[in-house]
Amino acid sequence: MDPANPASFNHRTELLSTGRRYHFVDQLPANYDPATTKTLVCIHGFPDLWYGWRYQIKPWVELGYRVVVPDMLGYGGTDKPEDEAEYTPRKICNDIAALMDLLQLQKAVIIGHDWGCFMVSRFALWHPNRLLSLIMMSVPFVPPSKTYASLEQMVERVPNWGYHLFFNDKRSSAEIESRLPKFLKLIFRDKRKSDIRLENWTLKGGLPRVLRSEDIQLEGTGLLNQQEFDYYLSQFDRSMHAPLNYYRTTLHRFKEEQDESILQAPRPDLPVLLIIGKNDPTSNQAALDITRRLIPHVQIELLEGAGHWLMVERKEYVTEIVPQFVRNAAAKDVQTKL
C-alpha cells in the first residue's frame, strides 16, 4: 500500500446488483474478522479517484479497519454512462448500498469528500440504517429542497459556484480534455502560492477564461508530485464527460428528492463529523448554520489555512481524526446502551 505505487493496493472490479460495474480498492487488516472489523467506505469527489485516499488507506488498515475505496461512477475503472440522468444521488447511493451488499457489509463508516460528501450525506437520507458514522469533508449538509432552484439561481446565491455553469454545458467536456494538463494544474494548485491571474476563477466565466488564455501558463503540479500528477492525467485522458455529468443533474436531483421516503436530515443518533478548510472557496460555508440546525450534534472542524484537498493538504490530520472520531462514537454508543 504505497501511495507512490497505485498497483500496490488490492484492486477489484465487480458487477453490482444495480447493473453497474465498479472498480474499487478493498484492503483488509491483518486481523480481519467479518463479525467485528469495522469498515470505512470512502467516496471521492471531482475530479478525483480512489487514489485521492492514497495517504489514508494504509494507516487506517494498520489500525484494524477494512478500507473500501471505489472509483465512483464515471471515473477510472468504473462504468461511465453517457446520460447525466445516471449520476443522480439516489442512483449513486443505491450503488454504494449494492457495493456494501456485495461485500456483505450491513453497516459501515461512510466518508465522503466534495461530490462524494454530498453523496454520502444523501446516503444517510436514502439508506439511514446502513451507517455506523457519517464523515463529510468540504461540503456542509443542506436538506432536500421543496422548491426548485435552477443552477443559475444557485450561482446567484453562491457566486463561487460559477464554474458549475461551465461544467453544465456539455461542450466543456471536450474543451477540458483538450487542455487537461492545464485544467488539472489549476484544480490541484497550491493556493498558498498567490497568483493574481487566478483570483476569482471559480466565479462565472472565470474558469473558461483561464483555460483559454495563452497568457496564463501554469507551472508545476501544485499539491501533487509529478508521479501523482501523471497518474491523474492518465486516468482522465479523453474521459472528462462522465465525471462532469454530476454537474448536469440539478433538475434530476430535485425531482427524485420529492419522494416522501427520503429523510430530511440524518437520523438523530448517527454520529456526524464535518471537516472544512476555511480557505476553500467552493465549500459554501454560509450553509454551516443550516448544518448545525438540522444536525444539532454534528462535530464541525474548520481548518485554518486549509483549502479543498484536505486528504492531501492535511493528510496527517485527516488520517488521525477519522479513527479518533470513530472510536469516540463507538464508546458513546456503548455508554448509551449500558
Side-chain angles (χ1 to χ4, degrees):
M1 290 177 281
D2 178 6
N5 180 12
S8 67
F9 294 80
N10 182 45
H11 295 264
R12 298 176 60 180
T13 301
E14 303 283 354
L15 181 65
L16 305 184
S17 61
T18 53
R20 276 103 92 92
R21 191 172 298 275
Y22 266 65
H23 161 260
F24 57 98
V25 163
D26 183 11
Q27 297 289 163
L28 303 179
N31 59 345
Y32 178 68
D33 179 346
T36 59
T37 299
K38 285 188 172 65
T39 298
L40 311 181
V41 177
C42 306
I43 307 300
H44 70 77
F46 175 93
D48 211 347
L49 303 156
W50 73 269
Y51 195 56
W53 304 93
R54 61 195 174 279
Y55 292 113
Q56 284 74 44
I57 297 172
K58 182 179 180 181
W60 290 345
V61 171
E62 289 178 341
L63 287 174
Y65 296 100
R66 182 181 189 177
V67 182
V68 175
V69 192
D71 275 336
M72 294 310 292
L73 193 73
Y75 291 86
T78 293
D79 282 352
K80 300 175 176 65
E82 285 289 313
D83 185 357
E84 67 268 16
E86 295 302 311
Y87 294 82
T88 64
R90 189 172 193 175
K91 290 182 179 179
I92 298 297
C93 290
N94 288 342
D95 284 348
I96 297 171
L99 178 60
M100 291 173 63
D101 291 342
L102 176 82
L103 301 175
Q104 297 183 310
L105 301 171
Q106 180 54 40
K107 292 187 176 185
V109 176
I110 308 295
I111 310 170
H113 173 251
D114 184 75
W115 265 107
C117 178
F118 182 76
M119 294 301 174
V120 301
S121 77
R122 269 25 192 182
F123 188 76
L125 308 185
W126 289 114
H127 300 275
N129 297 320
R130 303 299 299 268
L131 300 90
L132 293 170
S133 300
L134 172 63
I135 299 174
M136 304 185 295
M137 298 169 61
S138 300
V139 181
F141 174 83
V142 292
S145 178
K146 297 301 182 186
T147 57
Y148 177 66
S150 68
L151 183 56
E152 290 76 13
Q153 290 172 314
M154 290 184 190
V155 170
E156 287 182 11
R157 299 172 190 169
V158 188
N160 273 317
W161 286 356
Y163 64 96
H164 289 211
L165 295 171
F166 177 57
F167 291 163
N168 184 59
D169 185 338
K170 292 184 179 181
R171 293 173 295 183
S172 68
S173 301
E175 182 166 357
I176 290 172
E177 288 173 3
S178 70
R179 299 177 171 90
L180 188 59
K182 186 175 186 179
F183 175 74
L184 292 179
K185 286 179 181 181
L186 175 65
I187 295 297
F188 286 106
R189 76 184 183 94
D190 188 343
K191 294 180 178 60
R192 292 172 297 182
K193 299 177 181 178
S194 178
D195 188 334
I196 194 170
R197 301 171 304 168
L198 304 180
E199 288 183 2
N200 301 324
W201 74 263
T202 57
L203 302 182
K204 182 179 179 180
L207 178 53
R209 173 184 59 81
V210 171
L211 287 179
R212 295 165 188 167
S213 174
E214 297 296 332
D215 295 329
I216 300 178
Q217 299 300 321
L218 305 181
E219 303 298 329
T221 55
L223 297 169
L224 308 177
N225 62 42
Q226 188 64 52
Q227 189 175 27
E228 293 169 335
F229 184 82
D230 290 344
Y231 182 73
Y232 276 98
L233 199 60
S234 71
Q235 294 296 298
F236 288 111
D237 184 35
R238 295 185 299 279
S239 62
M240 286 302 301
H241 177 77
L244 287 165
N245 270 336
Y246 287 87
Y247 291 90
R248 300 162 183 162
T249 60
T250 304
L251 182 57
H252 298 291
R253 297 198 306 269
F254 171 75
K255 287 181 176 179
E256 71 179 14
E257 291 189 351
Q258 301 315 296
D259 190 310
E260 293 182 358
S261 66
I262 191 172
L263 299 183
Q264 297 302 299
R267 66 176 207 265
D269 66 330
L270 180 68
V272 180
L273 171 66
L274 171 62
I275 310 170
I276 286 184
K278 291 190 76 171
N279 289 357
D280 181 358
T282 67
S283 63
N284 187 23
Q285 294 174 44
L288 284 173
D289 287 342
I290 298 173
T291 303
R292 293 187 181 99
R293 176 166 52 82
L294 293 173
I295 315 175
H297 60 285
V298 64
Q299 176 180 331
I300 298 178
E301 301 291 336
L302 294 174
L303 306 187
E304 292 285 349
H308 184 70
W309 299 102
L310 299 175
M311 298 96 79
V312 177
E313 294 180 57
R314 296 295 176 87
K315 53 180 175 288
E316 294 87 1
Y317 176 85
V318 171
T319 300
E320 292 172 6
I321 194 172
V322 166
Q324 180 185 81
F325 179 78
V326 172
R327 286 193 301 269
N328 290 344
K332 289 178 183 177
D333 185 54
V334 170
Q335 291 174 355
T336 300
K337 293 177 180 177
L338 291 178

